[in-house]
């Protein structure tokens, strides 16, 4: 039957290290999100308003990011670029791969958001004498932001979870750290169970924070 | 004064305005009527520079609207515009909707802008909806909000593009009343409208558009009583 003896002590002893690694996970996920939001917004605007090579560049980015396995994207920035003599640190590999992936997904969310704003919003803003920039930043973007808010939240969660692939390129974030301790102590099940709980808590915290923020931001 | 001289507008190969000549004097109320697709909305868009023109001239307060050196954002501040589709800004409350442009376009302080907004909301009878978001307002209220928003820029002219066409019949009255009030206060107005009673009772002159041409212009009694053009007669027979 079931004769495995659980040993939680090693896990507890290294818990501070795991939590440190969790912070690193969060850091890289949030950074990738911020980069992804900025680039995704640019990609969406390019795809909406431009033609020619820039359009094709943005479209290829979106297609590759959304339609290839995230793991392959990670390996591309790790080993793929390595083959061309460009060696990034594990941290940078994960950050670029996550940013690349997020930008592609968010670009489509942003694009949908922009398309959902009726053209008359822009027109009436301009008819009041607002510059194109003012109309965009005061009228269009805030409405787009509301539309993409929940997709962005989902993307942060996805980012946190996907950063666990980092252990495959030697990044000592939460999963990498767990892997390291697990193989040293052979307490594999305990370590990964504990880490799963940490991921779960992080994700729940993000979702709750997002809900609280949404209630404060969107009163309409 | 708004002066339009030999205005031509094309959308690609489509000739939408075919040589319009028109003057609207200060304090005048002009109603523009005509069937769908005759170019009425396009005329308004050309007047405040939301559409480009291909030939002719539009002069507002001695400024050539479509000249290269013209700052359109300044011209537009002199012309309030109300559209057919209600387009209140949904993410802003009623008072924020009205205060935004005075604040960011004219550089008024927050307190000043709010004061202007409140007085314009009172003007259109929305003082009880100051902090409501547009989705809590009826279509008629949203249209009045759009009027208040335009008035807050202290325009010399108001352009209305079928401001009541998208409204339920029972809400049309309150918006027309607000427009009537503005006319009585001496606002210079160009109203594209399908409301013949409004055109007859409120305007100083009525212009009839057909297929990109201004076929007829004259006093309401002339246009409704003794229309000269065959097209005008047919149109009026249809809408009566
Ligand atoms: N952005 C555009 N691109 C191409 N064609 C356009 C555009 N806007 C309007 N048109 C065309 O120009 C013509 C005049 O349109 P306009 O909207 O000015 O008519 P209207 O008199 O306001 O009609 P309605 O009573 O239906 O509002 C129509 O044939 C219309 O299809
Ligand atoms: Mg129209």
């Amino acid at each position: 039957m079931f004769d495995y003896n659980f040993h939680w002590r090693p896990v507890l002893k290294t818990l501070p290290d795991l939590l440190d690694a969790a912070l690193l996970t969060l850091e890289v996920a949030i950074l990738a999100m911020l980069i992804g939001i900025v680039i995704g917004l640019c990609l969406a605007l390019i795809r909406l308003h431009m033609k020619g090579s820039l359009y094709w560049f943005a479209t290829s980015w979106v297609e590759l990011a959304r339609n290839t396995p995230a793991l392959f994207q990670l390996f591309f920035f790790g080993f793929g670029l390595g083959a061309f003599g460009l060696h990034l640190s594990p941290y940078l590999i994960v950050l670029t791969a996550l940013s690349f992936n997020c930008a592609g997904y968010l670009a489509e969310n942003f694009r949908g958001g922009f398309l959902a704003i009726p053209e008359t919003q822009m027109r009436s803003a301009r008819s009041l004498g607002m510059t194109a920039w003012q109309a965009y930043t005061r009228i269009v973007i805030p409405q787009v932001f509301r539309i993409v808010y929940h997709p962005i939240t989902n993307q942060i969660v996805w980012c946190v979870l996907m950063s666990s692939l980092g252990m495959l390129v030697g990044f000592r974030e939460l999963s990498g750290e767990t892997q390291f301790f697990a193989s040293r102590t052979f307490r594999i099940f305990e370590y990964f169970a504990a880490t799963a709980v940490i991921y779960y808590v992080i994700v729940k915290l993000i979702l709750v924070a997002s809900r609280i923020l949404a209630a404060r931001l969107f009163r309409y | 004064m708004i002066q339009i001289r030999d205005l031509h507008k094309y959308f690609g190969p489509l000739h939408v305005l075919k040589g319009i000549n028109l003057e609207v004097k200060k304090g005048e109320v002009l109603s523009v009527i005509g069937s769908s697709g005759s170019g009425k909305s396009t005329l308004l868009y050309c007047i405040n520079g939301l559409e480009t023109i291909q030939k002719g001239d539009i002069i507002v307060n001695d400024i050539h609207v479509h000249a290269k050196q013209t700052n359109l954002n300044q011209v537009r501040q002199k012309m309030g515009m109300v559209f057919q589709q209600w387009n209140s800004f949904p993410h802003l409350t009623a008072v924020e909707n009205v205060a935004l442009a005075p604040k960011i376009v004219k550089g008024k302080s927050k307190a000043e802008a709010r004061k202007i907004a409140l007085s314009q909301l009172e003007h259109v009878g929305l003082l009880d909806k100051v902090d409501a978001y547009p989705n809590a307002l009826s279509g008629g209220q949203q249209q009045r909000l759009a009027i208040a928003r335009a008035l807050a820029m202290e325009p010399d002219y108001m352009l209305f593009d079928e401001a009541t066409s998208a409204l339920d019949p029972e809400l049309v009255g309150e918006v027309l009343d607000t427009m009537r009030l503005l006319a009585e206060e001496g606002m210079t107005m160009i109203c594209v409208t399908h409301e013949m009673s409004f055109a007859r009772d409120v305007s100083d002159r009525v212009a009839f558009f057909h297929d990109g041409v201004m076929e007829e212009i004259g006093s309401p009694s002339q246009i409704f009583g003794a229309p000269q053009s065959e097209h005008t007669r047919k149109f009026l027979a249809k809408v009566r």
Side-chain angles (χ1 to χ4, degrees):
Chain A
M1 232 198 69
F2 201 71
D3 56 0
Y4 184 83
N5 286 318
F6 289 103
H7 290 282
W8 294 100
R9 193 173 303 269
V11 177
L12 281 179
K13 243 173 42 194
T14 52
L15 195 59
D17 291 317
L18 289 183
L19 291 179
D20 272 350
L23 278 182
L24 190 60
T25 286
L26 231 115
E27 177 191 315
V28 81
I30 288 174
L31 262 180
M33 266 316 283
L34 293 178
I35 297 171
I37 286 175
V38 173
I39 298 179
L41 192 56
C42 295
L43 293 178
L45 289 174
I46 289 174
R47 265 160 66 73
L48 282 170
H49 297 297
M50 293 197 174
K51 291 193 192 97
S53 52
L54 263 179
Y55 174 87
W56 287 112
F57 171 76
T59 302
S60 317
W61 185 319
V62 170
E63 291 287 319
L64 284 174
R66 289 163 56 94
N67 302 320
T68 60
L71 181 62
F72 289 16
Q73 295 168 27
L74 187 76
F75 281 178
F76 172 79
F77 287 104
F79 313 127
L81 290 184
F84 293 103
L86 186 59
H87 296 283
L88 303 178
S89 68
Y91 182 89
L92 273 183
I93 294 171
V94 175
L95 182 62
T96 40
L98 283 184
S99 304
F100 173 82
N101 185 273
C102 282
Y105 272 92
L106 290 174
E108 279 306 86
N109 290 325
F110 279 123
R111 201 167 73 96
F114 279 109
L115 289 174
I117 310 297
E119 221 225 308
T120 50
Q121 288 284 310
M122 189 73 181
R123 253 179 198 230
S124 37
R126 295 306 302 275
S127 82
L128 291 165
M130 290 184 209
T131 61
W133 173 253
Q134 286 173 327
Y136 238 78
T137 53
R138 298 302 193 112
I139 305 301
V140 177
I141 303 259
Q143 294 182 55
V144 171
F145 180 63
R146 164 148 202 192
I147 296 174
V148 300
Y149 183 84
H150 290 295
I152 285 183
T153 304
N154 291 341
Q155 195 66 34
I156 299 180
V157 169
W158 163 240
C159 242
V160 167
L161 298 181
M162 194 178 110
S163 68
S164 63
L165 294 177
M167 73 179 177
L168 298 175
V169 292
F171 185 38
R172 296 265 296 266
E173 42 64 67
L174 183 50
S175 300
E177 196 75 352
T178 305
Q179 159 92 330
F180 173 76
F181 285 125
S183 56
R184 226 175 44 174
T185 58
F186 298 106
R187 293 285 133 206
I188 295 170
F189 177 84
E190 288 88 335
Y191 265 107
F192 279 95
T195 300
V197 171
I198 297 177
Y199 274 116
Y200 183 87
V201 170
I202 293 177
V203 168
K204 274 294 162 193
L205 284 177
I206 290 173
L207 291 178
V208 168
S210 154
R211 202 163 319 131
I212 292 171
L213 190 63
R216 303 210 49 177
L217 281 177
F218 308 124
R219 285 161 301 146
Y220 64 98
Chain B
M1 187 158 78
I2 298 177
Q3 294 159 285
I4 300 170
R5 295 185 189 143
D6 192 31
L7 166 64
H8 287 262
K9 167 72 189 172
Y10 294 82
F11 284 113
L14 191 63
H15 200 175
V16 176
L17 292 173
K18 305 171 179 168
I20 307 295
N21 288 286
L22 178 64
E23 282 197 1
V24 181
K25 296 200 175 57
K26 208 155 176 27
E28 189 179 5
V29 177
L30 172 74
S31 287
V32 177
I33 60 174
S35 47
S36 188
S38 56
K40 309 178 300 290
S41 303
T42 306
L43 175 72
L44 294 190
Y45 292 157
C46 290
I47 292 177
N48 80 352
L50 284 170
E51 288 288 356
T52 57
I53 68 175
Q54 277 65 53
K55 185 163 174 260
D57 206 354
I58 299 176
I59 306 163
V60 175
N61 292 355
D62 297 323
I63 297 168
H64 295 257
V65 175
H66 292 270
K68 266 209 188 67
Q69 67 275 16
T70 301
N71 181 342
L72 274 178
N73 298 322
Q74 263 164 22
V75 176
R76 289 185 185 132
Q77 291 176 42
K78 292 280 135 216
M79 292 186 282
M81 180 141 188
V82 179
F83 301 82
Q84 174 175 354
Q85 308 83 354
W86 332 317
N87 29 54
S88 341
F89 304 135
H91 58 302
L92 302 175
T93 61
V95 66
E96 289 167 348
N97 258 276
V98 184
L100 181 62
K103 202 166 63 192
I104 67 173
V105 176
K106 284 193 160 175
K108 305 262 189 213
S109 74
K110 230 177 144 174
E112 264 178 299
R114 187 176 162 85
K115 213 174 113 202
I116 295 169
L118 289 176
S119 83
Q120 288 305 342
L121 286 174
E122 182 175 16
H123 197 174
V124 301
L126 283 179
L127 214 41
D128 54 334
K129 299 289 182 191
V130 169
D131 293 315
Y133 282 91
N135 66 4
L137 301 180
S138 73
Q141 289 167 335
Q142 289 200 42
Q143 242 0 6
R144 286 187 282 146
L145 178 60
I147 295 174
R149 192 172 68 184
L151 290 175
M153 295 301 285
E154 299 171 314
D156 295 337
Y157 309 93
M158 284 291 286
L159 313 178
F160 291 88
D161 187 10
E162 298 190 27
T164 58
S165 299
L167 295 177
D168 289 341
E170 70 265 27
L171 300 176
V172 168
E174 61 187 70
V175 176
L176 289 182
D177 286 344
T178 307
M179 291 170 65
R180 213 169 265 136
L181 175 69
L182 291 185
E184 281 161 15
E185 290 167 356
M187 175 60 76
T188 313
M189 298 164 47
I190 302 182
C191 312
V192 171
T193 184
H194 283 185
E195 296 291 331
M196 293 306 141
S197 61
F198 177 87
R200 189 170 24 215
D201 304 341
V202 181
S203 29
D204 300 300
R205 285 192 298 164
V206 177
F208 174 74
F209 272 64
H210 179 78
D211 198 17
V213 177
M214 191 170 76
E215 291 237 330
E216 239 185 301
I217 184 165
S219 69
S221 55
Q222 262 173 305
I223 301 293
F224 291 106
Q228 299 301 303
S229 128
E230 183 61 30
H231 290 131
T232 318
R233 276 198 289 274
K234 273 199 185 137
F235 175 77
L236 288 175
K238 245 190 333 200
V239 296
R240 277 225 177 97

